[in-house]
Amino acid sequence: MALAHWGGHPWLVLLCACAWGHPKSLDQREDVRNCSVSPPYLPVTAVNTTAQLTALRQQMYTQNLSAYIVPDTDAHMSEYIGEYDQRRAWITGFTGSAGVAVVTMGKASLWTDSRYWTQAERQMDCNWELHKEVGTTPVVTWLLTEIPVGARVGVDPFLFSINSWESYDVALQGSDRELVSIPVNLVDLVWGSERPPVPSEPIYALQEAFTGNTWQEKVAGIRSQMQKHREAPTAVLLSALDETAWLFNLRGSDIPYNPFFYSYTLLTNSSIRLFANKSRFSSETLQYLNSGCTGPLCVQVEDYSQVRDSVQAYTSGDVKVWIGTSYTSFGLYEVIPKEKLLEDTYSPVMVTKAVKNSKEQTLLRASHVRDAVAVIRYLVWLEKNVPQGTVDEFSGAEQLEKFRGEEEFFSGSSFETISASGLNAALAHYSPTKELHRKLSSDEMYLVDSGGQYWDGTTDVTRTVHWGTPSAFQKEAYTRVLIGNIDLSRLVFPAATSGRMVEAFARKALWDVGLNYGHGTGHGIGNFLCVHEWPVGFQSGNIAMAKGMFTSIEPGYYLDGEFGIRLEDVALVVEAKTKYPGTYLTFEVVSLVPYDRNLIDVSLLSPEQLQYLNRYYQIIREKVGPELQRRQLQEEFSWLQRHTEPLTARAAPTTSLAPLVTVSALAILGWSV
C-alpha cells in the first residue's frame, strides 16, 4: 500500500497531471466557501473554530508569540496518529491526514496538497485561509509578510522532527524573526476537557510463539552494537513507537492500524528505562519485564511525561547518546549537548528490526497464507454479487474485513482499505465512506488495496480486477504493470544494492510505451508492526537490500478520470542461486493471490515472464489450496484451481495499443525516483 502519508514520508506524491489528476485546474477552481458576503456562505460541514482560535491567541499572548505553528504529527513522527494527538484537526476543523496550520494574532492559514483541497474547503470556516501548496518555504514566505520584524514564532518541539525544525530555523534566519521552542503545547492547553482521553487500554506482551527473539536477546544484541561502535555510545534513545514495541515484544492499541503504545526507551550499558504509562501494565506484564532479572536487565518503567527531564539529567554525565534522527523529535534533541550525540539517520533498533530472522520469516509467511484465504474468499464473493448490483466500494471493504476477521490471530486492518471502482481508482488516496462511495460494476475495473494485522505478521496486498470486457488499452496497461511486478520480483542483483538502484525494473515495461506511475515502488513491512516499515524499500532514503528483509513490490498505472491499476505483493529478500560464485540476492514473493486472467494479454509476456508467472501460480496452489480444503472452502478451492491454470503463450501484436494521448507522459521519463 503506497498511498498513505507516512510520518513525514509521503509514499505517494502528486507528480504528473496525466496520471494523478490536474492540480493546476483544481487550483483555479473557486473555493466552495464564500467569505466575502454577510453572513458568509459555508457548507454545512464547516466547523466553527472561533472559540478555539480566541483561546489559542490568548495563550500566544502570554508567551509573547506573533505566530504559532500546528503540524499534523505526534511526538514520535508516526504515520498514523491517535485521536489524542489530532491537534491540527481540532484547531482547524480539517481532518485530512496532511496539512500544516499557522495562527497569527490576526489570521489563520492552512497549507495542504491537492488531495485535500476540496475537503479543507468543506470543513474549514471563514476564520481560515487555504493555501494550495506545501513545504517550509511557502509557510515562511507567508509568515514574513504577516508578522513584524522581531516577532517570535512558537512551536511545540515534540511535534517537529530535527530536520523540520532546522528547515524552519534556517528559512527564518536573517529575517529578524525567531523560531521559539515551547515545550508545553498551547493547543493542548485550550483543548482542555474536550480533548480525547489518554489511551488506557492494557499494554501486553506477545506470546513467545509470535516473537523472533526474547526481549533480553534483543537488548543484548543492541548493547553489543553499542560496544563495537567506534564512537562507543553509552546509550541508545528510541523514539519511534515500533522501536520500543519490537525491542520488548510488547503491543498496545493507541494508534489506528498499528499495535503500538505511547513510549520511549533509554537503553544504556547498565540500565533499561521504558517511559510509558505504568498503570497500563498488568502485574503479569511487569513480571515479564523483570522476572529473575539482574541490574542491567531490569526494566525500569518510568512516567511517559518524564522522558525529556530524564534524558537531560542523563546527559549531564560523561555519556554519548545514539539516536536515529528520522524519528527523534527536536524536543528531545535540543536537551542533549551536541558533543554527546551520536547521530545516524536510523537507530540501531530500526536497522536491526528490518532484517527478519528465520522464525520471523516463517511467521510472516504463515500470516500471508491465511490472508490469501480471506482475499480469495472476497474475490469469489465479488464475482457472485457484483453482477447483481448489490455491492458498493464501502460494503465491499466491510466484507473483506469480515473475511479477515474470521482468520486465526487477526487483530485488525493494517491500514484503511482502498476499495476503488472505475475512475475512483485513479485517485491517489481514495478510500470510500459510508456516505460517499460508488457501486461496483461488471463494466469497470476495481482496485482493492488492503491488509491485516495478525499476531504473526502484517500483510498488504493489492489486486485489480475486471468482471466484464476490458478495453484493449486496459489489458495492455494491466499487463505492463504485471510485467513490472514480475521483472522486479525475479531480478537477481548484488548483495548490498540499494532498492532505488533496481526500482526502474518495475517501470521499464510502462516506460517502453510512454506510461508511468507517480508513487514509490515499495516499502518494508513488519511482524505485527508497521505496514510501512522503514528503512526498507526502493526510495532514495532507504538502506541497502539485505537477506531477510521484507518489502512490497507495487507498480501501477492510473488514467485520470477513468481507471487505476496497481498490483502489489510482499516479497522476502533471499540469496540467489547463480551460475558463478558470488553473493547475489533476489526476491521470494509471499503474497499468494492470483492476478486477474481477464486482464492479462499473454502475448506481451516473454517466455521467461510467462514461466515465472506459471511457477508462481503453482506455488499458490501448493500453499493456499490445502488450507482452503482444510477449511472445507470447496467453492474457493475450485475458484483457485481455475484462476491458477497455467497460461500459454500467444503471438505478440506488431504495435502497441497505448493511446496517442499518453505521449504527454513521456515527460515523466526525466523524473528522478
Side-chain angles (χ1 to χ4, degrees):
M1 192 271 287
L3 301 183
H5 182 77
W6 186 13
H9 308 292
W11 272 103
L12 205 119
V13 192
L14 293 175
L15 291 170
C16 107
C18 64
W20 291 109
H22 303 278
K24 184 175 180 181
S25 61
L26 284 171
D27 194 20
Q28 293 171 343
R29 181 179 48 74
E30 291 186 6
D31 196 324
V32 298
R33 304 173 296 172
N34 188 347
C35 297
S36 62
V37 298
S38 182
Y41 169 76
L42 290 170
V44 295
T45 48
V47 178
N48 187 337
T49 59
T50 300
Q52 294 97 296
L53 288 170
T54 299
L56 179 59
R57 286 173 175 136
Q58 289 172 349
Q59 292 293 333
M60 291 166 57
Y61 179 79
T62 64
Q63 297 283 348
N64 190 27
L65 299 176
S66 295
Y68 191 67
I69 304 176
V70 185
D72 56 8
T73 189
D74 65 11
H76 306 274
M77 309 298 119
S78 301
E79 173 185 4
Y80 298 102
I81 61 175
E83 290 185 4
Y84 181 74
D85 284 313
Q86 298 277 0
R87 299 175 180 88
R88 196 229 48 232
W90 182 77
I91 198 69
T92 65
F94 165 63
T95 59
S97 65
V100 174
V102 180
V103 178
T104 68
M105 286 302 182
K107 289 186 178 181
S109 290
L110 174 85
W111 285 258
T112 190
D113 64 65
S114 60
R115 293 173 292 160
Y116 297 114
W117 292 344
T118 299
Q119 180 180 347
E121 291 168 356
R122 293 185 179 280
Q123 292 183 320
M124 296 194 305
D125 64 9
C126 289
N127 285 308
W128 290 89
E129 296 177 356
L130 174 61
H131 295 263
K132 298 178 178 181
E133 50 191 342
V134 292
T136 303
T137 300
V139 175
V140 172
T141 300
W142 181 84
L143 278 170
L144 295 181
T145 66
E146 296 295 333
I147 60 176
V149 169
R152 288 162 36 101
V153 179
V155 301
D156 178 349
F158 285 97
L159 301 184
F160 276 69
S161 68
I162 298 166
N163 287 342
S164 293
W165 170 278
E166 291 177 347
S167 67
Y168 277 97
D169 193 42
V170 168
L172 287 169
Q173 284 177 8
S175 69
D176 199 18
R177 280 93 165 170
E178 180 186 5
L179 191 65
V180 182
S181 171
I182 311 289
V184 177
N185 190 282
L186 302 189
V187 174
D188 292 353
L189 294 179
V190 301
W191 204 348
S193 61
E194 292 183 26
R195 188 181 185 190
V198 178
S200 58
E201 292 79 8
I203 296 166
Y204 61 94
L206 279 178
Q207 298 175 32
E208 187 175 340
F210 300 111
T211 65
N213 293 104
T214 66
W215 71 259
Q216 292 92 339
E217 291 169 334
K218 293 178 179 181
V219 165
I222 300 303
R223 281 178 168 159
S224 176
Q225 293 184 47
M226 292 163 58
Q227 293 165 4
K228 294 175 181 177
H229 199 289
R230 65 181 183 277
E231 297 287 333
T234 61
V236 173
L237 176 61
L238 305 179
S239 293
L241 298 181
D242 60 330
E243 293 178 313
T244 291
W246 175 86
L247 183 65
F248 296 107
N249 296 326
L250 294 173
R251 299 294 188 269
S253 56
D254 297 3
I255 307 297
Y257 306 113
N258 292 294
F260 305 148
F261 56 97
Y262 289 113
S263 57
Y264 296 94
T265 297
L266 183 64
L267 173 63
T268 77
N269 291 324
S270 58
S271 67
I272 308 170
R273 301 165 74 178
L274 169 57
F275 298 88
N277 182 346
K278 190 172 183 177
S279 68
R280 299 174 60 192
F281 292 81
S282 67
S283 57
E284 292 80 10
T285 304
L286 289 173
Q287 181 162 353
Y288 158 82
L289 292 171
N290 285 295
S291 178
C293 70
T294 57
L297 277 176
C298 290
V299 180
Q300 307 165 47
V301 180
E302 303 185 19
D303 190 76
Y304 175 84
S305 64
Q306 296 302 307
V307 63
R308 178 176 160 115
D309 291 343
S310 296
V311 169
Q312 190 168 20
Y314 175 76
T315 55
S316 65
D318 182 19
V319 299
K320 179 159 285 191
V321 181
W322 194 357
I323 66 168
T325 56
S326 290
Y327 291 91
T328 303
S329 72
F330 190 78
L332 295 180
Y333 182 79
E334 68 177 341
V335 301
I336 306 174
K338 301 303 170 278
E339 68 275 11
K340 297 182 179 182
L341 271 170
L342 170 57
E343 300 180 43
D344 278 329
T345 304
Y346 305 107
S347 78
V349 164
M350 194 68 77
V351 175
T352 302
K353 175 169 59 65
V355 178
K356 278 60 175 172
N357 64 26
S358 58
K359 183 180 178 183
E360 291 168 325
Q361 292 173 28
T362 299
L363 289 167
L364 261 169
R365 285 191 184 99
S367 70
H368 280 82
V369 172
R370 297 193 312 279
D371 197 68
V373 170
V375 176
I376 288 169
R377 291 182 69 192
Y378 180 56
L379 293 174
V380 172
W381 181 84
L382 288 174
E383 280 192 10
K384 291 191 298 183
N385 289 280
V386 168
Q388 299 176 23
T390 59
V391 184
D392 60 55
E393 296 164 328
F394 186 76
S395 66
E398 287 190 314
Q399 184 65 37
L400 177 52
E401 182 162 19
K402 177 179 179 293
F403 285 137
R404 277 201 171 96
E406 295 172 8
E407 294 302 316
E408 195 174 18
F409 311 137
F410 181 71
S411 187
S413 296
S414 57
F415 57 94
E416 185 177 20
T417 295
I418 296 165
S419 172
S421 179
L423 56 85
N424 284 342
L427 300 176
H429 288 251
Y430 178 80
S431 287
T433 66
K434 191 172 184 178
E435 296 76 26
L436 297 172
H437 52 255
R438 278 172 64 90
K439 275 284 181 71
L440 271 59
S441 167
S442 298
D443 299 324
E444 292 185 326
M445 298 180 82
Y446 172 65
L447 184 156
V448 57
D449 184 345
S450 65
Q453 291 284 12
Y454 302 88
W455 294 347
D456 50 352
T458 303
T459 68
D460 183 4
V461 61
T462 307
R463 290 295 182 262
T464 306
V465 296
H466 196 304
W467 299 284
T469 305
S471 70
F473 177 56
Q474 287 175 330
K475 289 188 69 169
E476 181 184 5
Y478 181 97
T479 306
R480 290 186 180 279
V481 170
L482 176 60
I483 289 171
N485 183 302
I486 291 172
D487 284 352
L488 186 52
S489 297
R490 62 189 288 269
L491 183 69
V492 175
F493 53 94
T497 297
S498 171
R500 65 184 177 86
M501 300 299 292
V502 300
E503 194 257 10
F505 283 88
R507 299 179 186 269
K508 182 183 180 300
L510 291 164
W511 285 357
D512 283 344
V513 292
L515 305 179
N516 202 0
Y517 54 95
H519 57 75
T521 294
H523 54 81
I525 196 161
N527 282 77
F528 193 30
L529 288 167
C530 288
V531 71
H532 294 147
E533 185 174 81
W534 279 71
V536 177
F538 299 93
Q539 308 282 73
S540 59
N542 294 137
I543 61 177
M545 290 289 177
K547 178 184 175 183
M549 291 179 173
F550 282 82
T551 181
S552 70
I553 295 175
E554 48 185 304
Y557 173 72
Y558 311 85
L559 185 60
D560 182 46
E562 294 195 27
F563 64 85
I565 300 164
R566 185 163 59 257
L567 297 174
E568 176 185 18
D569 295 307
V570 171
L572 169 64
V573 182
V574 296
E575 286 187 14
K577 297 177 181 178
T578 55
K579 181 177 180 180
Y580 300 106
T583 307
Y584 286 79
L585 302 173
T586 188
F587 297 105
E588 173 198 326
V589 173
V590 299
S591 300
L592 298 167
V593 179
Y595 307 113
D596 187 3
R597 301 170 77 88
N598 191 35
L599 282 164
I600 300 174
D601 182 350
V602 180
S603 68
L604 294 176
L605 300 177
S606 70
E608 294 79 13
Q609 292 159 352
L610 186 60
Q611 181 184 33
Y612 171 91
L613 184 56
N614 285 331
R615 186 168 66 249
Y616 173 59
Y617 278 178
Q618 183 61 32
I619 291 170
I620 293 176
R621 284 187 168 198
E622 293 170 357
K623 295 189 175 182
V624 182
E627 182 66 14
L628 293 172
Q629 290 180 306
R630 185 185 70 81
R631 301 264 297 274
Q632 297 183 342
L633 296 170
Q634 191 56 47
E635 184 179 13
E636 287 80 1
F637 178 76
S638 298
W639 181 95
L640 179 67
Q641 294 297 103
R642 292 195 307 274
H643 284 76
T644 54
E645 283 289 337
L647 293 162
T648 55
R650 293 200 307 268
T654 57
T655 59
S656 167
L657 296 169
L660 294 176
V661 294
T662 60
V663 171
S664 61
L666 290 171
I668 306 170
L669 295 176
W671 174 58
S672 59
V673 185

